[in-house]
């Protein structure tokens, strides 16, 4: 990784540690709408285990657990995951939740074809280069079983913050301390190569609002 990319990654890691430390449960306890949709997709496919990448303080991971899934929740913030574990105990689902500190720039610590389903809400549009995003999706495909679904969300180039703030190249723009890789449609399409692309659904979230895609793609059987 070029030094500038490495520095940006470390700055963002420290920023998220600070955010979770100063604002516990910053995103509330209710699940995101994409997580509710994903649970229905996963249940329909017969999934029993869900890997969530970028779980943060756990509002979606905990929802999956309450819905009866066994959940492996990963994030690069130990502070966020500690809040997740505490909430799992409080909600009575600690037995269905496992956490692991993991940076998605590194290989997933899981065996091939060992996961039923994968969920990632706004993780792929973090400060990741296009090369790193492709490597991550290749890792997701490696660990998913045939027929397994990957549901993820990203902000796209139609978003109001695209090309606003500080540009870092590769469609990465930093606004208010948060660096975002805004997705053009051809990037989403290229990530579905050798997958079955089930859905690219446009939606909005938050007060800005953030303009996003919810993407579902499946490993062919």
């Amino acid at each position: 990784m070029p030094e500038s990319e490495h520095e940006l990654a470390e700055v963002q890691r420290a920023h998220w540690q600070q955010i979770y430390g100063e604002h516990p449960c910053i995103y509330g306890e209710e699940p995101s709408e994409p997580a509710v949709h994903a649970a229905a997709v996963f249940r329909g496919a017969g999934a029993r285990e869900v890997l969530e990448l970028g779980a943060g303080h756990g509002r979606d991971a905990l929802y999956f657990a309450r819905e009866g899934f066994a959940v492996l929740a990963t994030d690069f913030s130990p502070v966020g995951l500690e809040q997740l574990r505490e909430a799992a105990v409080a909600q009575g689902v600690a037995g269905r939740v496992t956490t692991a500190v993991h940076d998605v720039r590194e290989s997933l610590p899981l065996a091939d074809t060992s996961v039923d389903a994968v969920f990632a809400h706004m993780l792929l549009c973090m400060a990741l280069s296009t090369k790193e995003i492709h490597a991550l999706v290749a890792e997701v495909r490696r660990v998913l079983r045939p027929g397994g679904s990957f549901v993820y969300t990203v902000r796209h180039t139609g978003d109001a913050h695209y090309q606003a703030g500080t540009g870092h190249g590769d469609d990465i723009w930093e606004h208010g301390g948060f660096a975002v890789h805004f997705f053009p449609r051809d990037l989403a399409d290229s990530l579905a190569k050798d997958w079955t692309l089930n859905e690219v659904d446009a939606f909005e979230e938050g007060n800005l609002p953030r303009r996003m895609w919810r993407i579902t793609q499946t490993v062919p059987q």
Side-chain angles (χ1 to χ4, degrees):
M1 179 189 298
E3 186 61 28
S4 60
E5 290 183 13
H6 177 76
E7 290 174 351
L8 179 61
E10 290 307 306
V11 167
Q12 287 295 295
R13 185 199 303 268
H15 182 65
W16 280 104
Q17 285 279 85
Q18 181 180 357
I19 289 294
Y20 289 132
E22 294 179 355
H23 305 281
C25 298
I26 184 173
Y27 296 112
E29 296 181 359
E30 293 301 312
S32 67
E33 286 301 318
V36 175
H37 173 83
V41 170
F42 299 158
R43 190 178 298 109
R48 293 178 295 177
E49 301 166 342
V50 175
L51 166 64
E52 182 179 358
L53 304 173
H57 64 73
R59 62 171 178 159
D60 291 337
L62 294 165
Y63 169 73
F64 291 135
R66 292 195 302 271
E67 288 294 298
F69 295 99
V71 183
L72 172 57
T74 72
D75 200 277
F76 69 176
S77 170
V79 175
L81 292 180
E82 177 61 27
Q83 294 172 9
L84 192 163
R85 288 191 295 271
E86 291 174 357
V89 171
Q91 295 179 24
V93 294
R96 289 199 292 272
V97 177
T98 304
T99 64
V101 177
H102 178 257
D103 189 324
V104 294
R105 296 170 183 84
E106 301 171 356
S107 298
L108 291 169
L110 296 165
D112 294 359
T113 63
S114 62
V115 176
D116 291 341
V118 181
F119 178 73
H121 183 33
M122 290 187 66
L123 174 74
L124 273 69
C125 61
M126 294 293 185
L128 301 169
S129 69
T130 297
K131 181 179 179 180
E132 289 168 339
I133 293 168
H134 273 279
L136 170 57
V137 173
E139 275 293 284
V140 171
R141 195 182 193 286
R142 178 184 67 79
V143 302
L144 268 175
R145 296 187 176 97
S149 295
F150 178 31
V151 177
Y152 71 94
T153 65
V154 291
R155 295 172 76 174
H156 59 68
T157 52
D159 187 275
H161 281 162
Y162 178 55
Q163 297 184 327
T166 303
H168 294 281
D170 201 12
D171 283 327
I172 298 174
W173 293 84
E174 184 178 346
H175 190 275
F178 296 94
V180 176
H181 189 139
F182 294 91
F183 270 47
R185 178 57 195 258
D186 62 352
L187 176 54
D189 289 340
S190 68
L191 294 173
K193 183 181 179 182
D194 300 325
W195 297 69
T196 299
L197 181 58
N198 306 98
E199 175 187 54
V200 180
D201 183 63
F203 72 103
E204 297 182 347
E205 184 178 82
N207 296 325
L208 182 60
R210 292 182 288 268
R211 293 180 178 170
M212 305 179 67
W213 286 321
R214 184 189 68 221
I215 299 170
T216 303
Q217 56 195 58
T218 304
V219 178
Q221 291 185 318

